[in-house]
Amino acid sequence: MDESTIEFTSRDGIAVHTYRWAPEESPRAVVQVQHGLAEHAARYRRFAEALTDAGYLVYAPDARGSGRTAQGAYGSWGADGWPGWVNDVALLRERISEEHPDLPVVLFGHSMGSFATQHYLLDHSADVDAVVLSGSTEVEWLVPVLDADEPADLSAFNEPFEHRTGFEWLSRDEAEVDAYVADPACGWEAPPLPGIGSLAAAADPDRVAAVRDDLPMLIVSGDADPLAQGGATVELLAQRYRDAGLGDVEVRLYPGGRHELLNETNRDEVTDDILAFLDRVTAGE
């Protein structure tokens, strides 16, 4: 796997640091990765290794306020806040088109990155060839939690689990949890995200109806992920897209899996399932 970096400039002037992981041979398709809240794109290197080994080219930005983009000022959301985060997805997609105009592009969004993906699809579903949502949920219940005047308090997510570090809700793999806790670019207290209330549009059936009905979608979640609420909110999310007319919406719920499936004890199984989906939806491209 060849690693390089690029930058693109957001509409409010943020230089968005982006990893580019390339396979040894000519790529078959592009996977655009959007990470979650209080983490960063470098944590997806292992996933990128599997993708590039299978012939996929990977672009993974450090979202605004995160990773190297933040330059140490974690949670600095910029003037555009949440709408800017969603627009950053579109800007990177445009950059990929400039560099690889003939390759299909699959969006992979985890957690907050999956919410940005849901929001992005309302206006841009024609610009991508398939979508994978990880650690996601239907957002109607979540927006009031995120749209608060106080910093986001995620500690409640750990209530059903042991309290060794407070981040056991992320994974059953203690080594992965410890690596997250030890990483200064992870787990920081997220300040209020201006404009996050606009994410509610992703739960509006009239808006979701604009998503093209031939867009393939895979939703992966652990049934012990607090955001999944036992799988109920994940199934509700999938049904919302099916009700909007999408005919290829697949859900995979992993028993005992927690929030970060790519860092879970069964991560190889999850990765294989994602690769099988990617191979299927890009086979004819």
Side-chain angles (χ1 to χ4, degrees):
M1 179 177 76
D2 176 67
E3 179 176 311
S4 58
T5 60
I6 64 168
E7 283 189 349
F8 66 93
T9 304
S10 71
R11 66 186 179 191
D12 54 349
I14 297 172
V16 181
H17 176 274
T18 304
Y19 295 94
R20 183 182 182 275
W21 292 301
E24 294 183 3
E25 306 297 332
S26 297
R28 59 188 295 177
V30 178
V31 179
Q32 180 178 337
V33 173
Q34 311 295 327
H35 67 73
L37 184 67
E39 60 155 347
H40 55 93
R43 301 184 72 230
Y44 292 76
R45 275 195 183 93
R46 180 171 56 208
F47 183 48
E49 287 273 8
L51 292 174
T52 56
D53 284 350
Y56 295 95
L57 174 62
V58 182
Y59 284 76
D62 283 335
R64 57 179 54 219
S66 309
R68 294 185 180 181
T69 297
Q71 299 183 17
Y74 302 121
S76 296
W77 303 126
D80 283 357
W82 176 252
W85 188 328
V86 177
N87 190 67
D88 295 343
V89 179
L91 290 175
L92 179 55
R93 175 65 186 92
E94 292 172 6
R95 176 68 175 266
I96 293 169
S97 287
E98 294 171 2
E99 298 183 356
H100 304 280
D102 299 324
L103 291 181
V105 176
V106 179
L107 277 184
F108 174 95
H110 171 70
S111 196
M112 191 67 95
S114 80
F115 309 146
T117 299
Q118 290 184 44
H119 203 158
Y120 168 87
L121 289 177
L122 299 179
D123 297 311
H124 300 282
S125 64
D127 296 332
V128 293
D129 295 274
V131 172
V132 180
L133 302 177
S134 164
S136 199
T137 188
E138 74 85 24
V139 298
E140 186 172 20
W141 72 272
L142 188 63
V143 168
V145 177
L146 297 174
D147 192 17
D149 294 332
E150 300 297 325
D153 180 10
L154 305 181
S155 62
F157 289 153
N158 211 62
E159 287 182 2
F161 306 107
E162 62 274 23
H163 290 270
R164 188 176 61 87
T165 70
F167 290 96
E168 280 64 44
W169 64 280
L170 297 177
S171 174
R172 292 167 292 183
D173 188 326
E174 291 189 358
E176 292 293 336
V177 173
D178 289 344
Y180 179 93
V181 171
D183 188 339
C186 289
W188 36 270
E189 187 177 77
L193 214 172
I196 190 65
S198 63
L199 175 59
D204 181 345
D206 291 336
R207 294 293 308 278
V208 178
V211 178
R212 63 184 180 90
D213 58 15
D214 61 343
L215 180 69
M217 180 177 292
L218 172 65
I219 305 174
V220 295
S221 179
D223 69 1
D225 181 349
L227 269 67
Q229 298 183 15
T233 59
V234 174
E235 295 290 357
L236 181 58
L237 173 63
Q239 192 59 48
R240 180 167 290 137
Y241 285 112
R242 293 180 184 126
D243 291 345
L246 276 69
D248 186 359
V249 180
E250 179 182 356
V251 174
R252 286 192 173 269
L253 277 173
Y254 299 90
R258 300 182 187 179
H259 187 58
E260 292 191 344
L261 286 176
L262 294 179
N263 295 321
E264 257 291 4
T265 54
N266 65 323
R267 54 183 169 263
D268 291 344
E269 175 192 10
V270 175
T271 300
D272 287 346
D273 288 344
I274 293 171
L275 283 171
F277 172 79
L278 296 178
D279 291 348
R280 175 173 70 81
V281 299
T282 63
E285 301 291 343

